[in-house]
Amino acid sequence: MIDVSGLEEIRGISINPGYTRIGGLTTWTEVIRTPLPRCFDALKGAAREVGSVQIQNRGTVAGNLCNASPAADGVPPLLALDAEVELVSTSGIRRIVLQDFIVGNRRTLRRPDEVLAGVIVPRRLDEARSAFRKLGARRYLVISIAMVAAIVKTDGAGHVTDARVAVGSCSVTARRLTELERELPGAKAVAGLGALVTEKHLASLSPIDDVRATAEYRRDAALTLVRRALEDCVA
Ligand SMILES: Cc1cc2nc3c(=O)[nH]c(=O)nc-3n(C[C@H](O)[C@H](O)[C@H](O)COP(=O)(O)OP(=O)(O)OC[C@H]3O[C@@H](n4cnc5c(N)ncnc54)[C@H](O)[C@@H]3O)c2cc1C
């Protein structure tokens, strides 16, 4: 067993010319406190909802991703940001897009000898607005029934040019709603944007019945959360 928690080299957030780098050992509290471009508001929103303040002080971004829970709150915002993970071992460094890295419930492509050293986010969405919505049975210390991250970029005329929407806790791994993302560009970025979302946009989700909610309830909740997250982005 190796304790990686003292590796200061892979902790903290830096903004570089083409990308923002979040060190794997960055805690959720550090994510919340670091000034970041607006497209990270969804990630900050997720950070505020991870467990409680005590958990946010200790829990790290890498732990959240490597744990690969379908209910990991950090995953949808990072998926929406097109994040990549950087894995380091004595054999070298490799990068994998987050979408491919998490392959199932508690399963990732991380090899046993690899440390998740960082998360790399391209800076092309820096000025886009973003939002995170989580539904749980109570406000804090709760596993998500469903959660959504949305990012909306607009042009000078107030139209959507780019939209990213990711849903967690409603399939074995969090998913981007690619059909919705294809349809939103061109829409007016004003109140009412959420009304463009219909059940068919969530067809790729495969929620399950469990102790927290039925599949039907999850699907319905996810639809509402997607609409609200998009409204947040244009409010
Ligand atoms: C009471 C409680 C409430 C919680 N609530 C939430 C919640 O609301 N939302 C949520 O998403 N999570 C929640 N969690 C889960 C967890 O705390 C967070 O996901 C946290 O971000 C995990 O980070 P960690 O550093 O504690 O990881 P650990 O729990 O220490 O590690 C998780 C896994 O990742 C591996 N790992 C960790 N770091 C690395 C690394 N750098 N490289 C390679 N492998 C690594 C570990 O070996 C382990 O297999 C909760 C946990 C508790 C105890």
Side-chain angles (χ1 to χ4, degrees):
M1 184 182 288
I2 300 172
D3 178 4
V4 294
S5 62
L7 296 177
E8 288 299 319
E9 296 87 343
I10 58 169
R11 184 168 180 172
I13 303 177
S14 61
I15 300 183
N16 305 285
Y19 63 93
T20 299
R21 181 194 172 85
I22 304 173
L25 297 193
T26 306
T27 64
W28 292 113
T29 299
E30 288 166 326
V31 170
I32 294 164
R33 292 186 181 166
T34 305
L36 290 170
R38 288 203 305 188
C39 64
F40 284 92
D41 287 354
L43 186 66
K44 285 176 179 255
R48 286 187 201 95
E49 305 253 3
V50 173
S52 61
V53 170
Q54 294 91 334
I55 300 293
Q56 292 156 21
N57 285 340
R58 295 292 299 186
T60 64
V61 174
N64 196 258
L65 303 183
C66 292
N67 207 28
S69 160
D73 288 314
V75 175
L78 289 171
L79 270 189
L81 285 165
D82 281 339
E84 291 183 342
V85 295
E86 186 181 87
L87 299 161
V88 178
S89 70
T90 50
S91 325
I93 299 175
R94 62 185 185 128
R95 279 195 192 176
I96 305 178
V97 293
L98 180 59
Q99 180 93 61
D100 297 339
F101 175 67
I102 300 175
V103 291
N105 184 8
R106 314 262 172 199
R107 290 196 302 121
T108 70
L109 292 183
R110 186 179 72 83
R111 293 196 289 255
D113 63 339
E114 285 178 320
V115 167
L116 196 157
V119 178
I120 314 295
V121 176
R123 292 193 57 192
R124 46 180 179 266
L125 289 173
D126 269 10
E127 295 312 315
R129 294 186 63 177
S130 69
F132 179 79
R133 287 274 185 159
K134 167 172 172 171
L135 176 70
R138 56 181 179 271
R139 186 68 188 81
Y140 281 109
L141 276 171
V142 68
I143 298 174
S144 295
I145 291 170
M147 73 285 208
V148 170
I151 304 180
V152 174
K153 190 174 177 182
T154 52
D155 60 16
H159 292 98
V160 175
T161 57
D162 206 338
R164 315 281 174 84
V165 182
V167 181
S169 267
C170 287
S171 18
V172 71
T173 61
R175 282 191 182 279
R176 291 265 295 263
L177 302 184
T178 48
E179 194 186 335
L180 177 62
E181 292 179 3
R182 272 196 301 273
E183 286 181 20
L184 286 175
K188 269 263 180 214
V190 292
L193 183 68
L196 300 178
V197 189
T198 64
E199 283 169 14
K200 75 164 180 151
H201 294 118
L202 281 75
S204 60
L205 303 179
S206 47
I208 56 163
D209 292 328
D210 69 7
V211 288
R212 285 185 290 282
T214 61
E216 190 187 356
Y217 181 77
R218 277 202 162 89
R219 200 176 278 283
D220 190 51
L223 177 61
T224 301
L225 294 182
V226 170
R227 286 176 173 157
R228 288 182 185 171
L230 287 171
E231 292 295 335
D232 292 342
C233 290
V234 296

